[in-house]
Amino acid sequence: MGIVLAALLVGGVVVAVVIGQGGEDRSTATKTVRAVIGSEKAEFFADPQVVKALAAEGYTVKAETSGSWAMEGLELDGYDLAFPSSKAPADELAGKYKVRQPLPRPFYSPLVVVAHRSAAEVLAGNGMATLEQGAGRGVLKMEACLAAARADRTWQELKGADEYGELSGTLYVASTDPETSNSGALYLAAASYVANGGRVVADDKGLDATAPLMRKLVSVQGAQQSSSDAAFRDFVSGVGNPLVLVYESQVASLLNEQQDPGDLTVLYPDTTANSDHTVVPLTENGRAVGELLSSDKELRRLAVKYGFRPQGAAAEFTAATKAHSAHLNQTLTGVRQAPVPTSAVLHEMARRARN
């Protein structure tokens, strides 16, 4: 498989080109499909087994990566599909390009916060998390965490933090840029839902009420990553913030690769947002590939390999990740799904948070 990485500057967004073609399967695949995808799916599309499964159905996918919310600023003429990481930017693109509904939604992944064990135990000791006994996972209490953000609390103010030299400075969850990245935008969606009294922000009144807190959640971070993939890699390598917002799929993929998780602890926010990976077909070939991702048994199996939860098939994910239940909340017990604001509201929320 050849992998070509190129940098393309489009409106300030760097798009990396990933082309997967597996020698002997080249002759089988008769239709080339150009796609722009969220970076968290790049490894999936580059996997030789995925390339082979698509080729068996007559398709070669050439995938370029972009922040999900940055896709609407790209010129997509000549592309067959866009594949952002959630429904809101997908609906925006579908409206812009007059794409017929329904849009294929092959798989999804909830947002989680990864922490080292020391940080997780300090949070638990201060009422901001609960941990599963003897496991590498727990639940993050969003109300308590948002209260800490409002009060500008530091790690040093927390009981037990003085035992760990790496826990210092302002307490916050590192997230991606909400104006360009899906995970950062969904973090604001979940946080604003909690801050708004368990109601989705739907108008200026809700935006005005939640804006000061959303601004705090973002401004304390300084420069933000544009990709959850980069943020997760930094965390795994031992650099960066003690608490990082990522997709569950990234954690599951790491575990499925049999990599040593070390003291990784996965905290599932008690109120979170699911990332519904949604295909926006721009051509009939694009729609055919989107539907294959939903229906083809082998492609669904490979999606689980990369940590994604297939839509409507919880048993597939549970069976495939059985060995990693110490870190993964397979049934999402104790986790509430927050409704996501409309694209227009979420855009305005992100703009206010960043400015």
Side-chain angles (χ1 to χ4, degrees):
M1 181 190 69
I3 301 179
V4 180
L5 297 179
L8 175 62
L9 190 64
V10 181
V13 179
V14 175
V15 181
V17 182
V18 181
I19 303 176
Q21 292 187 359
E24 64 189 45
D25 300 314
R26 219 170 184 178
S27 59
T28 306
T30 58
K31 299 172 185 175
T32 297
V33 173
R34 291 188 66 199
V36 58
I37 64 173
S39 61
E40 69 291 327
K41 295 184 284 288
E43 290 187 357
F44 169 77
F45 279 101
D47 188 312
Q49 290 180 289
V50 173
V51 173
K52 182 178 180 180
L54 288 167
E57 298 296 330
Y59 296 97
T60 292
V61 174
K62 293 185 177 181
E64 304 173 13
T65 65
S66 165
S68 294
W69 285 95
M71 288 182 189
E72 64 184 75
L74 302 178
E75 179 52 63
L76 296 181
D77 288 345
Y79 286 82
D80 296 282
L81 66 88
F83 199 178
S85 303
S86 70
K87 187 174 181 295
D91 286 342
E92 189 85 3
L93 287 168
K96 179 178 179 179
Y97 290 96
K98 298 179 172 55
V99 176
R100 66 180 171 87
Q101 299 284 346
L103 304 180
R105 287 193 292 158
F107 39 74
Y108 69 99
S109 183
L111 290 173
V112 299
V113 173
V114 290
H116 295 294
R117 191 69 186 183
S118 57
E121 288 178 348
V122 169
L123 290 180
N126 287 268
M128 286 183 273
T130 58
L131 300 179
E132 292 286 333
Q133 185 70 31
R137 62 179 170 90
V139 173
L140 188 72
K141 297 182 178 180
M142 285 289 284
E143 284 273 15
C145 289
L146 294 181
R150 287 191 187 93
D152 299 316
R153 296 189 73 182
T154 65
W155 282 102
Q156 292 93 321
E157 294 176 297
L158 302 185
K159 180 179 62 179
D162 57 355
E163 298 178 26
Y164 307 102
E166 70 275 17
L167 299 180
S168 63
T170 305
L171 172 67
Y172 67 89
V173 174
S175 60
T176 55
D177 182 348
E179 290 194 287
T180 60
S181 173
N182 179 66
S183 60
L186 289 182
Y187 178 48
L188 295 187
S192 64
Y193 179 77
V194 175
N196 200 39
R199 298 184 302 275
V200 65
V201 174
D203 52 27
D204 285 339
K205 182 180 179 182
L207 283 167
D208 292 341
T210 58
L213 178 57
M214 300 303 104
R215 193 173 298 116
K216 276 196 172 189
L217 295 178
V218 170
S219 63
V220 71
Q221 301 184 47
Q224 291 177 288
Q225 296 270 24
S226 61
S227 160
S228 62
D229 183 59
F232 184 60
R233 289 182 187 278
D234 282 350
F235 177 85
V236 171
S237 65
V239 300
N241 195 59
L243 305 173
V244 181
L245 184 85
V246 300
Y247 296 112
E248 179 198 55
S249 58
Q250 292 167 299
V251 178
S253 178
L254 177 83
L255 298 172
N256 285 338
E257 291 170 3
Q258 305 301 316
Q259 293 191 40
D260 181 6
D263 68 346
L264 170 72
T265 303
V266 186
L267 300 175
Y268 287 77
D270 55 14
T271 301
T272 191
N274 280 348
S275 178
D276 286 310
H277 296 267
T278 305
V279 176
V280 183
L282 303 172
T283 66
E284 286 307 309
N285 282 343
R287 183 171 290 276
V289 168
E291 291 174 350
L292 274 175
L293 293 171
S294 300
S295 62
D296 185 87
K297 186 176 180 179
E298 176 65 2
L299 288 171
R300 289 168 68 90
R301 182 189 70 80
L302 292 167
V304 173
K305 172 186 172 183
Y306 284 93
F308 301 111
R309 294 175 180 251
Q311 293 283 2
E316 290 180 37
F317 182 85
T318 302
T321 60
K322 183 178 180 181
H324 311 306
S325 59
H327 287 89
L328 302 176
N329 184 347
Q330 294 174 300
T331 59
L332 298 179
T333 303
V335 176
R336 176 173 58 169
Q337 169 68 20
V340 177
T342 64
S343 177
V345 169
L346 204 48
H347 267 303
E348 179 61 14
M349 186 182 295
R351 187 192 69 79
R352 295 190 187 193
R354 289 282 294 166
N355 297 288

